[in-house]
Amino acid sequence: MPAFDHRDPGTSAAAWGTRLHDLDLPVWDGWRQATGLVVLSPHPDDESLGAGGLIAAAAAADIPVTVLLVTLGERSHPDSPTTTPEELAPRREAEFIEAVTRLGTEVAHEVLRVPDGGLDAERSGLAASLRSAVEAAGTRPLIVAPWRGDGHRDHRIAGELAAALATERDLALVEFPIWLWHWADTDDDTLPWNEARIVPLDAAAHGAKIAAMDAYPSQTEPLSDAPGDEAIVDHHHLQHYARRFEVLFPNQRALDLTAEPDVRTAAVGQADGSRSQESFEDHYREHPDGWDFGSWYEARKRQVLLAALPRQRYRSVLELGCATGVLTARLAERSDQVLGVDIAEAPLQLARRHVPTARFERRTVPDEWPAGEFDLVVLSEVGYYLSEADLDRVIDRILGSLTPDGSIVACHWRHPDDHAATSAELVHRRLLERWPGRRSVQHVEDDFLLDVLVPAGEASVAAVDGLTS
């Protein structure tokens, strides 16, 4: 493993998204058979970044979880000119307690207070603490610890201690990578992908993990504008941990744990598909005009979306879920060609009358994907009606249909929807995981999210107008 600096760009989440999709790693659900989880976290936030979803899922399933925090991570900013390790320690401890609470109110924790970077000198004491926690975790404990190959000294030592106890007692162990996603190349065949498994996260577990990660502003935001106070886990890093699954390396004992069928989970899974064509058709029979597109909320949202588009004009636009064509009409004013597609025929009849300059087709995406290339794809108020599997396939289709200079704009309602299969947050994070370029606009407000994704080398609006270099 090469030496790395967290300030380097590293390997992008989009590149890993493609690689993990190609690997098609097996699902591991043996954690459901554990009588208790013991999570070894070298620093505050390691538990949430690497295994927050697993912790939340286990807690929701009434499996006891104990998180052992080894250090307070007080040396996370050794070059800070504004904050000393002594000042950072209590701040990070408070963040850890808040994060663990967000993962599950019943999740227990113990703070061992080993000096940051001092794990090697405390091996015997740490081993004893870990052994004691495991002995209290029932007859089938599961140890959760950092991957030994992660490249961080404290992570390696914590992983070695966990592996030694698992070998000694023939216990189940899963290791979670963190810095691997930063320093490793996606085509590195020396990485142990044959041992890797994924744990899919349902909406509740994923939401709890995101909330826990948000509890660490000392790591995800700069301490100040001064050099040395940069964020340790900035936006680019966070994308690695925002996936709807976690990648783990289980030992053989963990693989031998076989989850019993969960009737409740199976029932949810059967109903957890994309919203059906029949459901939309029923909606339009009761509400011929679709949604309240004439409200100030809808009018303002359209204005925000259109203002966020960085180019004055596009060659070819694809709008997914165009409904009655209200937004399509505005897109047509700024493009040479517009194609609107919708799953139901009734709104398209209104759209064709409303926007005669645009083309409209009834299609069920991703299976019935329109032909052609587009330099803008609009995904507005439709992504959360797709199941996770269909959303991933739609993203694949979008990426395959974009011109080399193509962009995506996504805009979604943040409030609960009885017909939604996922959420605005999930849709936008999934897009960011896969997008090979950059995000030029991020708009977050109480009611909706809006992101504009552009090619990595695309100049800003001011640069195009010659206002800046």
Side-chain angles (χ1 to χ4, degrees):
M1 185 213 75
F4 68 91
D5 189 318
H6 73 275
R7 293 165 293 191
D8 294 336
T11 304
S12 72
W16 277 118
T18 299
R19 175 61 169 148
L20 292 171
H21 182 268
D22 292 341
L23 285 169
D24 193 21
L25 299 174
V27 170
W28 176 73
D29 59 1
W31 61 270
R32 296 180 184 277
Q33 287 296 93
T35 54
L37 270 63
V38 177
V39 183
L40 192 60
S41 181
H43 315 99
D45 78 7
D46 288 334
E47 79 296 327
S48 297
L49 298 174
L54 174 61
I55 293 170
D62 295 326
I63 300 172
V65 182
T66 298
V67 181
L68 300 181
L69 178 63
V70 180
T71 81
L72 296 180
E74 66 273 14
R75 294 180 58 198
S76 65
H77 291 74
D79 300 320
S80 172
T82 65
T83 309
T84 67
E86 292 74 21
E87 292 169 332
L88 196 55
R91 180 175 174 182
R92 295 204 67 187
E93 182 175 8
E95 290 175 342
F96 166 76
I97 294 170
E98 175 62 23
V100 169
T101 301
R102 293 182 182 186
L103 292 175
T105 55
E106 301 302 317
V107 175
H109 68 272
E110 181 179 352
V111 182
L112 303 181
R113 301 185 187 280
V114 171
D116 193 1
L119 272 68
D120 199 31
E122 301 290 337
R123 281 181 181 259
S124 60
L126 288 174
S129 296
L130 179 60
R131 185 178 296 107
S132 176
V134 168
E135 288 173 351
T139 57
R140 293 188 306 279
L142 172 63
I143 305 174
V144 183
W147 178 49
R148 284 165 283 175
D150 205 39
H152 189 295
R153 186 168 181 265
D154 286 351
H155 293 195
R156 173 178 58 80
I157 294 171
E160 288 173 351
L161 291 169
L165 180 60
T167 300
E168 173 191 336
R169 300 285 185 90
D170 188 26
L171 300 175
L173 165 71
V174 291
E175 300 176 63
F176 55 84
I178 291 182
W179 289 109
L180 158 74
W181 308 117
H182 177 68
W183 58 258
D185 293 326
T186 58
D187 57 357
D188 185 350
D189 292 332
T190 67
L191 297 172
W193 295 124
N194 60 315
E195 302 172 14
R197 300 293 187 271
I198 63 169
V199 174
L201 306 180
D202 62 20
H206 183 253
K209 176 173 182 171
I210 298 301
M213 295 194 301
D214 287 344
Y216 286 106
S218 74
Q219 304 302 294
T220 60
E221 301 172 8
L223 297 179
S224 78
D225 293 334
D229 275 354
E230 298 87 357
I232 303 300
V233 187
D234 62 15
H235 166 72
H236 296 291
H237 287 84
L238 283 172
Q239 291 182 47
H240 294 303
Y241 315 112
R243 305 183 188 105
R244 281 299 299 265
F245 59 88
E246 290 175 337
V247 179
L248 303 172
F249 298 111
N251 68 358
Q252 187 57 52
R253 186 69 182 85
L255 292 176
D256 290 341
L257 292 175
T258 302
E260 296 176 350
D262 188 331
V263 175
R264 293 171 300 169
T265 301
V268 170
Q270 291 167 4
D272 197 24
S274 299
R275 185 174 178 181
S276 69
Q277 179 181 351
E278 292 77 13
S279 172
F280 279 103
E281 289 174 342
D282 288 344
H283 175 85
Y284 283 106
R285 274 192 289 270
E286 296 180 13
H287 309 280
D289 292 330
W291 282 260
D292 192 9
F293 294 127
S295 67
W296 166 236
Y297 165 76
E298 288 286 349
R300 174 181 172 273
K301 183 184 67 174
R302 287 193 296 275
Q303 293 170 4
V304 172
L305 185 153
L306 292 161
L309 296 178
R311 298 182 206 164
Q312 197 167 5
R313 193 162 186 83
Y314 292 86
R315 299 184 301 275
S316 181
V317 176
L318 170 63
E319 183 188 1
L320 300 173
C322 64
T324 58
V326 179
L327 176 60
T328 321
R330 301 296 305 278
L331 294 169
E333 296 170 358
R334 291 177 56 178
S335 60
D336 298 333
Q337 300 179 51
V338 180
L339 171 61
V341 302
D342 201 276
I343 194 172
E345 179 61 32
L348 295 179
Q349 294 176 7
L350 291 176
R352 292 184 184 103
R353 294 197 295 269
H354 184 56
V355 198
T357 57
R359 290 189 300 122
F360 295 96
E361 298 177 0
R362 198 218 65 76
R363 292 181 179 272
T364 302
V365 298
D367 294 323
E368 300 171 349
W369 195 258
E373 282 193 326
F374 309 93
D375 59 343
L376 176 66
V377 174
V378 179
L379 191 70
S380 178
E381 307 298 5
V382 68
Y384 46 66
Y385 289 131
L386 298 165
S387 69
E388 294 179 42
D390 281 347
L391 174 62
D392 285 338
R393 293 172 60 209
V394 164
I395 295 172
D396 288 338
R397 294 283 204 167
I398 291 173
L399 295 177
S401 296
L402 282 174
T403 59
D405 63 344
S407 302
I408 302 172
V409 59
C411 182
H412 290 91
W413 171 255
R414 299 186 71 189
H415 298 290
D417 184 326
D418 292 340
H419 295 286
T422 57
S423 66
E425 285 76 12
L426 184 148
V427 172
H428 287 237
R429 290 186 183 278
R430 205 70 145 232
L431 280 166
L432 286 166
E433 289 172 9
R434 299 290 306 282
W435 182 243
R438 65 182 182 87
R439 177 167 58 185
S440 66
V441 175
Q442 178 187 25
H443 179 86
V444 181
E445 61 175 76
D446 294 341
D447 298 318
F448 68 92
L449 299 180
L450 186 144
D451 283 309
V452 179
L453 310 181
V454 300
E458 179 158 314
S460 72
V461 176
V464 170
D465 274 358
L467 303 176
T468 184
S469 56

